[in-house]
Amino acid sequence: MFPFSQLLTLKKRFITWVRYYFCFCKAAAFMSGLLISRKLVDLAVVGVLITCFSDSKYSELFTLQKAAIFTSFQDGILATLAVVAAWISCYAIRPLRILIFSTVSYILALGLLFYTASRDISETNFELLNMIGIILLAVGEVGVAPLLGPFLADQLREHGEGGSTENTNENQVMAQKRVWWRFSWCCGVAAAFYANNIKTWGKTFMFTLLFMGGSLILLLLGIPFYHSRQIPPVDRFAIIQVVKTSLKKKHLNYPLSPEQFFSNDEGNVLRLSPRIKLLRWIDKAAIIETSSTSKEQEEAGTLCTVAQVRESKYLFKLLPLWSSFIVFGLVLSAGNTFFPEQGAKMISERYLIFLLTFEAIIRATISYLSKKLISKFVPETKQRQAQVLRTFIGMVMSTVCCVVSWQVEVRRLEKSKQLENMSMFWLVPQFCLLGLMEGLALHGCDEYSSSHFPERMEYHVSAISSFFVGIRSIFNIFFILANKGDFAETLDDSRLDKYYKSLTVISAVNVCYNLLLSILYIVSDQKVDNEGLQTNN
């Protein structure tokens, strides 16, 4: 028999576990509609947008090549607006206003897409209205993405402090936030699966439009319950000022004493970090001239702090690594455009949402596991080198993804010539590799880049990194135009296998370039660690 005392102990533990992870917060409940509808739009609209443009109804207006260019344009707008949003965050903002504005932008975008899908309009108006709709979709996403998570955490935090549950533990707040987030994510996936099975795009856009409209109403109804606080301004990078100042002072000799550097927080060290010979000229921006006081020079904009110089040098240091993500982004762009298009033309196409969801799960899982493994098993002094290695492995996965996609498309075209069709689940490996390369390379690069800067600058660094990946869309447009001979009006008439083959070659060259960069970064970081140990000793 099971002892009664143990049953009571298990009951108490279960109740404690439930109270720790589950919290009914009115404010979170009202904003959950936006969490769900955002995922719905991401999967049912943005993720498969190319299949809308290349649909048979629009085949006279949009060839496969033109549809891919339109979809890539949306990614480019999103990357550019992310940098603009990072710049705006340098000023104090109220997240609730931004969330409402972004939701309205989503609604306007879906309204335009619904109008173009359900009305017979001219080609010029069709392209123009869809272009405006794509831009509004990007505006909605870039406004919601950085604020929705922190705003939800604020509601749970305030609920714990003022409600019956004493939720002052930050770890508990984050745990409850994950529960709300994952519940909303699952609901969004279920709604997207339903939307994907609607037969016409007009009805699909109508469904998502009504869903997003309902989420806006819920968001507004919850205003009395929100604990909205003003987000304080974030310091921006002073790289332009630092470069201008260092060029003006290029005639100065390098200081002989650390005291000649303004606001030197690096101690009794003459060479400012990072100690890269090619960037040593930037140090001169922090030299205090004897002609006037340091305060006068700072007010005149002719003197920078050591911290500003250091952050600017780290940005220059990371530029080569970020540049390798332009080609990486080409592969990512192919996955966001041509992979869904392939799935839409295969058997069991109604399960395409599952493939997109599977890719997102792989990406999040690999990112989480690799981060945990590095933090647990790699010494802190070696974690930067581990992140570089993680990024390189992700780059290798991008080439493997191209090879697999190439071979699958070869087989699909062979079946198509025989008037046969393949199951959509043949695309599982390439979607899996797409998630792997993102979780390893993209998130690994973010971790490595952010480790060079204070926590307050992480969002800006991530925005810059995402911009280099995002401008893939521009290069993808040029790459598609350069290989226009591989594209016809429809997927079956095109030679997407040749396109993937060309992408494989470019990706392989980029892997070699990234390998060289990885060696240089690892050696450089190792040298810095050794110098730090010698200084401490």
Side-chain angles (χ1 to χ4, degrees), residues 60-128:
E60 295 181 359
L61 303 179
F62 276 81
T63 61
L64 177 63
Q65 182 186 26
K66 195 171 183 180
I69 290 174
F70 247 64
T71 308
S72 297
F73 177 76
Q74 196 262 348
D75 291 335
I77 292 294
L78 186 61
T80 305
L81 289 177
V83 176
V84 175
W87 178 78
I88 292 175
S89 69
C90 296
Y91 303 93
I93 56 174
R94 292 196 175 275
L96 182 58
R97 295 177 183 176
I98 302 296
L99 290 176
I100 293 173
F101 171 79
S102 301
T103 308
V104 171
S105 181
Y106 268 129
I107 292 172
L108 292 175
L110 294 170
L112 285 174
L113 293 174
F114 165 72
Y115 179 79
T116 57
S118 57
R119 295 286 190 276
D120 293 327
I121 55 179
S122 65
E123 180 177 353
T124 303
N125 290 335
F126 182 85
E127 291 183 2
L128 177 62

Side-chain angles (χ1 to χ4, degrees), residues 488-531:
E489 288 190 4
T490 63
L491 182 66
D492 290 338
D493 295 330
S494 301
R495 293 300 307 270
L496 201 57
D497 58 326
K498 289 185 176 181
Y499 179 83
Y500 286 146
K501 184 178 180 180
S502 302
L503 202 57
T504 301
V505 174
I506 294 178
S507 180
V509 173
N510 188 60
V511 167
C512 297
Y513 171 58
N514 189 263
L515 174 61
L516 176 62
L517 290 177
S518 299
I519 294 172
L520 292 175
Y521 279 110
I522 289 174
V523 171
S524 173
D525 290 335
Q526 184 64 50
K527 186 177 179 181
V528 170
D529 292 338
N530 293 337
E531 289 178 354

Side-chain angles (χ1 to χ4, degrees), residues 37-49 51-52 110 188-189 191-197 201 204-205 207-208 353 356:
S37 56
R38 180 199 171 205
K39 192 61 189 177
L40 165 64
V41 172
D42 180 51
L43 289 175
V45 178
V46 177
V48 293
L49 198 58
T51 62
C52 168
L110 294 170
V189 170
F193 180 71
Y194 172 80
N196 189 59
N197 283 279
W201 275 106
T204 299
F205 289 137
F207 174 74
T208 54
I353 296 297
L356 297 175

Side-chain angles (χ1 to χ4, degrees), residues 127-297:
E127 291 183 2
L128 177 62
L129 292 178
N130 275 297
M131 186 71 71
I132 296 173
I134 285 173
I135 294 172
L136 289 172
L137 274 178
V139 170
E141 174 61 19
V142 83
V144 167
L147 297 177
L148 200 54
F151 187 70
L152 174 60
D154 284 342
Q155 310 315 307
L156 297 171
R157 194 176 293 113
E158 293 292 334
H159 173 82
E161 292 173 357
S164 58
T165 306
E166 293 189 3
N167 195 6
T168 56
N169 186 343
E170 190 64 19
N171 291 330
Q172 186 178 2
V173 171
M174 292 298 105
Q176 292 177 353
K177 174 194 165 185
R178 286 193 294 270
V179 170
W180 276 98
W181 195 273
R182 289 168 184 172
F183 171 75
S184 301
W185 191 89
C186 292
C187 292
V189 170
F193 180 71
Y194 172 80
N196 189 59
N197 283 279
I198 299 176
K199 294 184 178 180
T200 64
W201 275 106
K203 292 181 179 180
T204 299
F205 289 137
M206 173 58 77
F207 174 74
T208 54
L209 175 62
L210 293 175
F211 211 105
M212 186 63 74
S215 71
L216 177 61
I217 294 173
L218 275 177
L219 189 67
L220 294 174
L221 289 175
I223 289 178
F225 304 100
Y226 297 138
H227 302 276
S228 182
R229 64 182 179 87
Q230 184 171 325
I231 297 178
V234 180
D235 294 339
R236 69 184 72 179
F237 288 114
I239 185 170
I240 296 177
Q241 181 188 350
V242 169
V243 172
K244 286 172 62 178
T245 305
S246 59
L247 290 174
K248 289 178 181 178
K249 295 183 176 182
K250 63 181 180 181
H251 63 283
L252 298 178
N253 294 323
Y254 203 84
L256 299 176
S257 169
E259 295 178 356
Q260 291 180 258
F261 288 117
F262 178 57
S263 189
N264 191 350
D265 58 356
E266 296 192 4
N268 192 27
V269 178
L270 186 58
R271 293 180 60 193
L272 303 182
S273 61
R275 297 171 181 86
I276 301 173
K277 191 173 182 180
L278 288 175
L279 301 178
R280 198 178 180 188
W281 59 276
I282 300 178
D283 296 351
K284 294 184 178 182
I287 297 176
I288 302 174
E289 296 184 85
T290 57
S291 58
S292 59
T293 64
S294 58
K295 185 177 181 180
E296 291 174 344
Q297 294 176 48

